[in-house]
Amino acid sequence: MNKKILFTIILSFFICLGCKSGEGESPNVLIGLLALPNSSNQNTQSSVFSLNLTGAKAIGISKDSISNALKSSSSSTNAVVIDDEDNISPAFTLGDVKVEKLFTLKNNGVLVILKDSILMAEVDGKSYLKPAIYVVNDRKQYKNCKVLISDEKGNLRCLDYSIISIQQNSNYSEVNFDDEGNIFLIHQTNEGRTMINRYNVEGKNPYNVFIAEQNQFIANFQVAGDSEVLVNHISFNTGITRFDSIKNGMIKVIDSNMSNVTYYFIKKFPDGKYYYTHNIGGTNGTGIFQYNPATSMISNWNEPVVNWNNWTETYSGTNFCSAGNGYLVTNNAKVFYKAMPQSISAGSNYFVYQLYPKLQVVPVSGLVNIVSIYSIEDSNEILVAGYVSGSFDISFKFVNTNNYSARDAFPGTIPFLPEKVTVSQEKKIIEFVVGRNVKTFDFTSGNGLYSERSLEEDLIQINSF
């Protein structure tokens, strides 16, 4: 029998079902018929939702949406996977899923922060996206999800359905990890509370580390390798600003000020003391402060600045860094910071300072204004980005933290700082993408080794497995 004739007979049969004499089509039947699968890239049926990690050596985010050449019949996501031959394909098996940030995990899984929440369901260990249109007899319970997590095979699930948004701030990364690969995430819940949660590397066993009270703002947080959490929080009701240490469920108040002030950095240095800086008075004035847990005493860090010969510094640690925010890294048991000097003769450029063990300026030949600092902590070099003289182009330098010598990280310059730079302490690499060019800095040997490769898609982030 002709297929068209057979389809017409079947269609007529279903239309007649449930219809009374003289009445038109049954709406429910038509909806069911319209939900039949088609070959477009819309998600029209309830299918298993996962990441395509088989054979992937990296995962990334495209600049916009992936090109039409890469779109499959089921997925038009902006997330991609890259194989050993640098071939690119959609990261998700289906759905128009837009990704904000990606983090590779210690178990080679992936943590995915989405631009917008998606409706998904989990049944018998498998995840499903809510179909774009009605599907007959689909009894799954779909819920909004903002953060996804996968295992190394790409099996996905929602990290935590209570997360409705991620709190972002230039002072910190919204996701931190300890040495065991546990995940620490700052977010807002559907009850309107801001909190820091800890999950194991598989995204399970959630534990609430810190809950902000009403009208309280978390301005800064950092996680140490031993899971100690440092938090700077502000109460808009009382005006009190606090810096707390949280470990094993116990909260220790490091500092408290009656001022709405952000601590520009909070850090436990290699000497076991807590260091922080802000630019509004309080009991101990301004500048770098040091809390000694052995004595529970706070003091200004009054080390004199060791300079190089470009200028004479007119201040010590008491008013250091009062000019603004910076970027703090640890390398080779030393601590480095991007800061603006107070000396008028130094101008308004940022420089690299070593804060520990000795406060000093670190010259970086060829750079006149430091933009950012990156570090693999147990290596011998830091990666420093800065403007070259007479230009807004950015050059990258390896700076040796033993003898403070500098060398080019790669030839030439780039026109802007990359949008997303991935620093993997686990894999000992720093990498970013400029258009279709992947730049990788490998610190496995202790010193930075540069390599690059080209892709066939414009990316803004790449994370290697």
Side-chain angles (χ1 to χ4, degrees), residues 93-114:
T93 54
L94 63 101
D96 185 18
V97 181
K98 295 298 185 288
V99 173
E100 180 72 28
K101 283 187 180 180
L102 295 166
F103 299 86
T104 49
L105 305 176
K106 193 167 185 176
N107 64 355
N108 284 329
V110 182
L111 186 74
V112 183
I113 297 179
L114 301 172

Side-chain angles (χ1 to χ4, degrees), residues 191-251:
E191 289 87 20
R193 307 298 294 275
T194 301
M195 61 179 60
I196 299 171
N197 272 10
R198 184 188 70 204
Y199 308 84
N200 67 15
V201 69
E202 297 175 342
K204 299 177 181 178
N205 302 329
Y207 173 77
N208 176 244
V209 177
F210 181 83
I211 302 178
E213 300 297 332
Q214 294 294 333
N215 296 315
Q216 190 177 50
F217 175 69
I218 299 175
N220 207 339
F221 99 105
Q222 186 180 75
V223 177
D226 62 357
S227 299
E228 182 178 16
V229 179
L230 306 181
V231 184
N232 164 218
H233 52 93
I234 301 169
S235 172
F236 296 119
N237 288 337
T238 64
I240 293 177
T241 298
R242 273 179 38 180
F243 169 22
D244 293 344
S245 163
I246 306 172
K247 190 172 183 180
N248 299 324
M250 302 297 293
I251 297 178

Side-chain angles (χ1 to χ4, degrees), residues 74-369:
S74 58
S75 179
S76 59
T77 176
N78 66 333
V80 298
V81 288
I82 302 102
D83 66 16
D84 286 332
E85 297 180 354
D86 287 332
N87 296 313
I88 296 178
S89 57
F92 292 97
T93 54
L94 63 101
D96 185 18
V97 181
K98 295 298 185 288
V99 173
E100 180 72 28
K101 283 187 180 180
L102 295 166
F103 299 86
T104 49
L105 305 176
K106 193 167 185 176
N107 64 355
N108 284 329
V110 182
L111 186 74
V112 183
I113 297 179
L114 301 172
K115 286 187 176 181
D116 299 298
S117 297
I118 60 173
L119 281 168
M120 62 179 290
E122 298 176 36
V123 180
D124 298 329
K126 298 183 184 299
S127 293
Y128 300 83
L129 272 182
K130 184 175 176 60
I133 59 177
Y134 178 78
V135 173
V136 177
N137 294 326
D138 185 1
R139 295 183 175 86
K140 300 181 186 69
Q141 299 297 310
Y142 296 97
K143 295 184 287 185
N144 278 304
C145 180
K146 178 66 176 177
V147 183
L148 298 168
I149 190 168
S150 84
D151 60 19
E152 63 179 355
K153 296 180 179 179
N155 299 311
L156 279 170
R157 63 183 187 81
C158 188
L159 177 70
D160 190 332
Y161 285 105
S162 71
I163 298 173
I164 61 168
S165 64
I166 305 300
Q167 180 170 307
Q168 299 184 3
N169 187 302
S170 60
N171 281 333
Y172 58 78
S173 170
E174 60 269 56
V175 178
N176 276 220
F177 302 93
D178 63 14
D179 289 343
E180 299 300 318
N182 295 311
I183 303 162
F184 294 77
L185 178 68
I186 182 169
H187 65 91
Q188 284 81 36
T189 69
N190 45 24
E191 289 87 20
R193 307 298 294 275
T194 301
M195 61 179 60
I196 299 171
N197 272 10
R198 184 188 70 204
Y199 308 84
N200 67 15
V201 69
E202 297 175 342
K204 299 177 181 178
N205 302 329
Y207 173 77
N208 176 244
V209 177
F210 181 83
I211 302 178
E213 300 297 332
Q214 294 294 333
N215 296 315
Q216 190 177 50
F217 175 69
I218 299 175
N220 207 339
F221 99 105
Q222 186 180 75
V223 177
D226 62 357
S227 299
E228 182 178 16
V229 179
L230 306 181
V231 184
N232 164 218
H233 52 93
I234 301 169
S235 172
F236 296 119
N237 288 337
T238 64
I240 293 177
T241 298
R242 273 179 38 180
F243 169 22
D244 293 344
S245 163
I246 306 172
K247 190 172 183 180
N248 299 324
M250 302 297 293
I251 297 178
K252 176 189 286 291
V253 179
I254 303 298
D255 187 40
S256 181
N257 274 280
M258 287 297 295
S259 302
N260 287 321
V261 54
T262 296
Y263 290 66
Y264 288 144
F265 71 73
I266 51 178
K267 182 77 172 178
K268 191 175 185 179
F269 279 17
D271 60 0
K273 298 175 183 177
Y274 299 86
Y275 293 77
Y276 53 98
T277 183
H278 56 65
N279 67 349
I280 296 181
T283 305
N284 294 286
T286 62
I288 297 179
F289 306 99
Q290 177 193 89
Y291 173 84
N292 187 342
T295 62
S296 297
M297 297 294 293
I298 296 173
S299 60
N300 276 117
W301 196 33
N302 289 316
E303 296 291 329
V305 180
V306 179
N307 311 287
W308 91 88
N309 295 326
N310 290 40
W311 72 80
T312 300
E313 234 14 299
T314 59
Y315 67 98
S316 68
T318 54
N319 61 352
F320 179 77
C321 297
S322 62
N325 207 345
Y327 192 73
L328 189 78
V329 299
T330 300
N331 181 277
N332 197 16
K334 299 176 181 179
V335 181
F336 298 88
Y337 188 57
K338 168 193 145 183
M340 185 182 294
Q342 293 296 300
S343 173
I344 296 176
S345 62
S348 58
N349 292 333
Y350 283 91
F351 292 84
V352 175
Y353 279 79
Q354 177 182 282
L355 299 188
Y356 178 86
K358 181 173 62 176
L359 183 60
Q360 68 180 79
V361 177
V362 178
V364 184
S365 59
L367 301 184
V368 297
N369 191 0

Side-chain angles (χ1 to χ4, degrees), residues 331 374-379 423-425 428-430 443:
N331 181 277
Y374 311 95
S375 174
I376 299 301
E377 295 183 355
D378 60 356
S379 68
V423 179
S424 173
Q425 302 295 339
K428 301 185 187 304
I429 62 172
I430 300 170
F443 292 83

